Amino acid sequence: MNALLRVLAALILTVFAVSCLPLVWQVPNQYTITARAPLAGTVTVMAGVAALIAGLVSAFLQPRWSSPALLAAAVAAWLAPAYATAAGIPAGLSAVASGTALLAPAISAHVAVSLPDGRVSGKQRRRALLLAYLVSLAFALLRVVAYDPFRDIACWSSCRPNPLAVVSWPEAGTLATAGALVTGSVVIVALTRWRRPEPSAVSRLAVIASGVLAAGLGLTAIGAVRAGGDPARALPAVSLVVSGTGIAVAGATVLAAAVGVSLRACRLRALVAVPEDNRIEAHLVDALRDPGVRIAYRVGGRLVDSEGGPAELLPVPGDRDRRHTRVVRAAREIALIEHRGDVDLTRELGPALRVALENEALRVESHVALAELRASRTRIVAASDARRRVLERDLHDGVQQALIALAWRLQTAGRAAAARGEGDRAQALGDALREARAALEELREVAHGIHPAVLANEGLGAALRSLALSAPIALSVEGTMPRLADAAESALHVFVASAVSVLAHQGVEGAHVALSAEGGRALVRLTPSREVAVRLDPIVADRLGALGGEVGADAMRAWVPMDHPPVARA
Amino acid sequence: MRVAVADDSVLMRRGVVEAIRGAGHEVIAEVGDARELLAAVAARAPDVAVVDIRMPPTHTTEGLDAAHAIRANHPDVAVLVLSQYVEAAYALRLIEDSPGRVGYLIKDRVLDESVLIDALARVVDGQTLVDPTIVAQLLGKLRHDDPLERLTTREREVLALLAEGMSNRAIAAQLFVAERTVETHIRSLFDKLGLADDPEHHRRVLAVVAYLRG
């Protein structure tokens, strides 16, 4: 339909241009509208010219929009009474020009309904507009073929004969004029949605323009019927002024919108030069002047925000207030942007910005993956710790009790045998008892090695002091630390135990362990009595890393964050 | 001696009970958890309660809490805690929490009834008791410029027995020397280690064990 409209607009403008040519070298006569009603006429012409200029500038700024062309056509048709009566124009052309004027209300209605960029959404609305155009065309034809101004006594402007008139029906002129005007007003009123405008100057202007235009067209319709459209009379003059104002405001709206979009495009282009500080969303908010802009990235089938957390992009409601724009690159959806409904981001988002968004999406993806990886490491470490604690407890509760009971029965049996005088048997049972007790001793050490119970019960400080009692080097422990999650205390304990073992291997005689809690971290510092190079098993760093902590480069200190969510004690 | 026994393992309980009865003492209560123990102690007023350190509900250190409660509410009742942990931290906690007449014994001692009965007698008598295995561990700890090196052999022996909770009289009997000799040794070793002596037996044991643990 756009192409058709452009053709229509071009036709009207051609008629306009051709008809205007004589004006260039001929002074308008007393039959022109400006002569007839100086104030109203001047306002009409000036409004028309202003709107025309606005339309031309907007067409230059936004070549894809149809509203500038439509506006120009509406103005051309609107000004027809002004130039159609000039003496130098051939009579036939004058008649056609007058007919063209009757298309002005329909075109103006089109502009009003589709401000600011010329798009009309909805099949029904487009059909209604088409109907309005057809009706107006009918009225225009009626005016051209049935009205001969020469034979009309009420004719107020250049009343020349109309060579194209096939019948003569004086009332046709008034009827056609009024009909076209009413059609135009009805369309504007019916199709413009009188809802609360968005808080932007352009949409407020659009509402005003539509309202004033409708009022003007309506008044002009009445004026056409009551006063024959003669601008010398009060009502038609006022109506001309009002509709002229409407056309001018419509022009201003189109221009303001076109300029706004151009400025926005400049801001969006400038965004590419912004340093990569992971705040594309904030910059987009600035560029679009829209605080409600949200960017969500698609990672692993979910929508996440720039921090990797779940994004709350509400589903698009029915109205045009907010829109979601999918950003696609290489056939993959990388981001979803929520923004104002009147911005066509798909078109305005340049390729450079898409690349920036893709980089951001990659960063978010890796951030999410890293977080999941860390969480899974933590779970694995915690699960393994829990298993060890359970194993230690099972060994103590189950096996040790059983061994003690066994030893006790061996002892009882041995005594009974001795009492009965069975020396050999008593001896054998005594040996078995000794072995059972040795097994008990060993069991205790194994269980302690798997997981020292004092670590879970009393904490890291007590466990390290206990470690110091049987350590292969002289270990002194100083300082305290608040209770941490089991996994954290375990990881730090493993660190000290392996460091001590390495130091002993290197022949170091002793070390000092200092526990402290500072800056949100639980810190363990080891000071050997002699400086040596220490390399720890990578599992030590792994366990601490899984909790968000780390081992120092010299392997002599380790820390975990104290606010790590504690894992439930098993 | 009237004894109350608490242990959630039936096997262990039976073993302890039979060892005690075998030595001619009376078991006035045999229970499975701390709550029942406290009730029995309140009702039957034994001379000593034998408590497993690990009992329901958490199976960690309920025995220590029970010991503290009994010592606080029934000062005449001594408490002997039986533990499978050779863990100085628990022994220390026990001595710190409770005002004397407590003992910490490794569970294997059940097999040495004489040691068990002797331990019961000692805590009833008013001494504080720390299992020799723990003391051996404390003494075996490696230390920077080991201060224990400065002690004579005799002084080390006295130190060990002190840490086990023996009174001067008991140490003298153990080493076959006069009580006055023991006192001299104690003064000397306390000097060398920089410890302040405390006439109160319980606090003295605490000081020595804490020092050795470091």
Side-chain angles (χ1 to χ4, degrees), chain A residues 55-199:
Chain A
L56 284 171
V57 175
S58 306
F60 174 69
L61 284 177
Q62 301 296 332
R64 283 216 194 89
W65 284 9
S66 49
S67 50
L70 284 175
L71 190 67
V75 167
W78 178 257
L79 290 178
Y83 62 78
T85 51
I89 301 180
L93 199 53
S94 172
V96 169
S98 307
T100 313
L102 296 192
L103 288 174
I107 306 178
S108 307
H110 188 162
V111 172
V113 159
S114 64
L115 283 170
D117 57 0
R119 277 189 316 136
V120 181
S121 55
K123 245 196 220 168
Q124 284 179 325
R125 304 177 94 204
R126 280 200 281 270
R127 282 204 192 124
L129 259 182
L130 193 62
L131 190 62
Y133 270 114
L134 289 173
V135 169
S136 297
L137 197 63
F139 281 126
L141 275 172
L142 180 67
R143 162 96 196 212
V144 169
V145 306
Y147 180 67
D148 191 347
F150 192 64
R151 298 184 200 279
D152 182 14
I153 43 175
C155 161
W156 55 268
S157 74
S158 150
C159 301
R160 306 137 139 218
N162 177 5
L164 301 173
V166 292
V167 299
S168 179
W169 179 29
E171 281 75 28
T174 317
L175 177 66
T177 311
L181 290 165
V182 163
T183 309
S185 336
V186 162
V187 165
I188 295 179
V189 170
L191 295 192
T192 313
R193 292 205 280 168
W194 300 105
R195 58 192 170 89
R196 216 165 18 92
E198 292 166 45

Side-chain angles (χ1 to χ4, degrees), chain A residues 393 411 415 437 458, chain B residues 54 84 93 111-113:
Chain A
R393 190 181 296 175
Q411 188 179 69
R415 287 195 188 139
R437 294 188 75 158
E458 309 295 312
Chain B
R54 205 159 143 155
Q84 53 263 68
R93 203 174 113 185
L111 298 167
D112 307 318
E113 298 105 334

Side-chain angles (χ1 to χ4, degrees), chain A residues 227-282:
Chain A
D230 184 355
R233 312 268 192 97
L235 185 56
V238 164
S239 65
L240 276 178
V241 171
V242 174
S243 3
T245 313
I247 285 262
V249 175
T253 309
V254 172
L255 186 62
V259 168
V261 171
S262 290
L263 285 177
R264 191 163 59 218
C266 278
R267 285 197 299 266
L268 280 175
R269 270 198 297 276
L271 256 191
V272 181
V274 155
E276 286 186 26
D277 57 356
N278 302 338
R279 291 183 62 236
I280 288 192
E281 192 175 282

Side-chain angles (χ1 to χ4, degrees), chain A residues 359-378:
Chain A
N359 287 343
E360 181 75 357
L362 283 174
R363 183 193 69 80
V364 170
E365 200 173 329
S366 73
H367 180 87
V368 166
L370 207 65
E372 281 178 9
L373 186 68
R374 184 167 292 151
S376 123
R377 275 173 93 190
T378 309

Side-chain angles (χ1 to χ4, degrees), chain A residues 269-416:
Chain A
R269 270 198 297 276
L271 256 191
V272 181
V274 155
E276 286 186 26
D277 57 356
N278 302 338
R279 291 183 62 236
I280 288 192
E281 192 175 282
H283 292 309
L284 208 58
V285 164
D286 284 339
L288 293 180
R289 304 266 198 271
D290 177 4
V293 165
R294 296 274 175 271
I295 309 182
Y297 304 93
R298 198 163 281 285
V299 170
R302 313 177 276 140
L303 280 179
V304 297
D305 60 25
S306 60
E307 302 296 317
E312 290 169 19
L313 280 196
L314 302 170
V316 182
D319 73 322
R320 291 169 53 189
D321 270 355
R322 313 292 304 167
R323 279 171 77 174
H324 287 177
T325 298
R326 289 179 72 214
V327 180
V328 175
R329 245 181 87 79
R332 200 172 73 89
E333 178 184 321
I334 53 172
L336 198 64
I337 308 181
E338 179 185 312
H339 56 89
R340 314 197 331 224
D342 59 347
V343 174
D344 185 2
L345 209 59
T346 320
R347 210 168 265 170
E348 300 190 29
L349 217 55
L353 211 57
R354 282 167 199 275
V355 171
L357 277 171
E358 192 176 19
N359 287 343
E360 181 75 357
L362 283 174
R363 183 193 69 80
V364 170
E365 200 173 329
S366 73
H367 180 87
V368 166
L370 207 65
E372 281 178 9
L373 186 68
R374 184 167 292 151
S376 123
R377 275 173 93 190
T378 309
R379 281 194 298 270
I380 290 174
V381 167
S384 118
D385 277 351
R387 264 202 305 279
R388 289 158 76 101
R389 272 199 304 279
V390 165
L391 185 60
E392 182 267 343
R393 190 181 296 175
D394 283 350
L395 279 178
H396 260 137
D397 285 355
V399 181
Q400 192 176 47
Q401 307 276 43
L403 265 180
I404 292 182
L406 169 69
W408 197 73
R409 286 174 64 173
L410 285 172
Q411 188 179 69
T412 312
R415 287 195 188 139

Side-chain angles (χ1 to χ4, degrees), chain A residues 392-394 396-397 400-402 404-405 407-409 411 415 433 437 440-441 444 448 453-455 457-458 461-463 465-466 468-477 509-512 529, chain B residues 7-9 11-12 14-16 18-19 52 54 58-61 64 83-90 93 106-113 133-134 137-138 140-144 212-214:
Chain A
E392 182 267 343
R393 190 181 296 175
D394 283 350
H396 260 137
D397 285 355
Q400 192 176 47
Q401 307 276 43
I404 292 182
W408 197 73
R409 286 174 64 173
Q411 188 179 69
R415 287 195 188 139
L433 173 62
R437 294 188 75 158
L440 261 174
E441 189 66 40
R444 216 198 320 273
H448 186 94
V454 71
L455 179 63
N457 295 338
E458 309 295 312
R465 286 177 171 87
S466 176
L469 291 177
S470 46
I473 66 175
L475 203 63
S476 52
V477 180
E509 278 117 31
H512 180 74
S529 57
Chain B
D7 192 322
D8 60 331
S9 155
L11 275 175
M12 289 302 305
R14 287 267 95 221
V16 172
E18 297 205 10
D52 180 13
R54 205 159 143 155
T58 69
H59 296 279
T60 50
T61 50
L64 294 181
S83 166
Q84 53 263 68
Y85 302 119
V86 178
E87 185 52 69
Y90 294 139
R93 203 174 113 185
I106 307 301
K107 252 195 181 172
D108 309 4
R109 300 279 168 244
V110 164
L111 298 167
D112 307 318
E113 298 105 334
T133 317
I134 294 184
Q137 198 192 49
L138 289 171
K141 175 184 168 166
L142 292 172
R143 294 177 177 79
H144 301 282
L212 288 174
R213 189 164 169 253

